[in-house]
Structures are given as structure tokens and as C-alpha cells.
């Protein structure tokens, strides 16, 4: 199990919704072109999933 960290930030309502939309819409291809390899892509997508969950738990869950 990896160590975890807590990141705290403040966003405006508009920014939180925009970020929630982004992490909801971003797909494999968009992440892959910014990753070193497929393993890196999977890791980035897992991190986006954690961010998506945190936003949803804060009330920012786009359909």
C-alpha cells in the first residue's frame, strides 16, 4: 500500500464545476498523449478518479 497525502485547495464554485466536468470527460487518449507509457497513463487515470470522487463528495458530480 502506498503512502497517501492530503491536498487541500480552495476553488470557486465555477472552478469546481469546471474541474469536475474536465475529470469526468477526459478520456484515455487525452491522458495517454501526456504520459510516458501505458503504465503512466493508468496511474494518471487512477489519480483523476480519486479527484473525481473527491469532487463528487463535495457536491460537484456532473452527469
Amino acid at each position: 500500500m502506498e503512502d497517501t497525502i492530503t491536498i487541500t485547495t480552495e476553488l470557486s464554485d465555477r472552478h469546481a464545476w469546471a474541474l469536475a466536468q474536465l475529470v469526468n470527460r477526459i478520456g484515455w487518449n487525452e491522458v495517454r498523449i501526456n504520459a510516458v507509457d501505458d503504465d503512466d497513463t493508468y496511474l494518471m487515470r487512477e489519480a483523476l478518479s480519486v479527484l473525481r470522487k473527491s469532487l463528487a463528495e463535495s457536491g460537484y458530480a456532473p452527469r
Side-chain angles (χ1 to χ4, degrees), residues 7-53:
I7 299 172
T8 304
T9 189
E10 292 184 24
L11 297 171
S12 69
D13 185 63
R14 290 179 56 202
H15 286 157
W17 274 114
L19 185 58
Q21 290 289 347
L22 176 65
V23 298
N24 190 51
R25 294 177 184 170
I26 196 166
W28 173 268
N29 290 331
E30 291 85 8
V31 177
R32 181 60 184 100
I33 63 173
N34 291 287
V36 174
D37 56 23
D38 284 353
D39 289 339
D40 198 30
T41 305
Y42 284 114
L43 186 60
M44 289 177 177
R45 296 226 348 141
E46 288 171 8
L48 285 171
S49 179
V50 171
L51 178 57
R52 182 184 304 111
K53 181 180 178 208

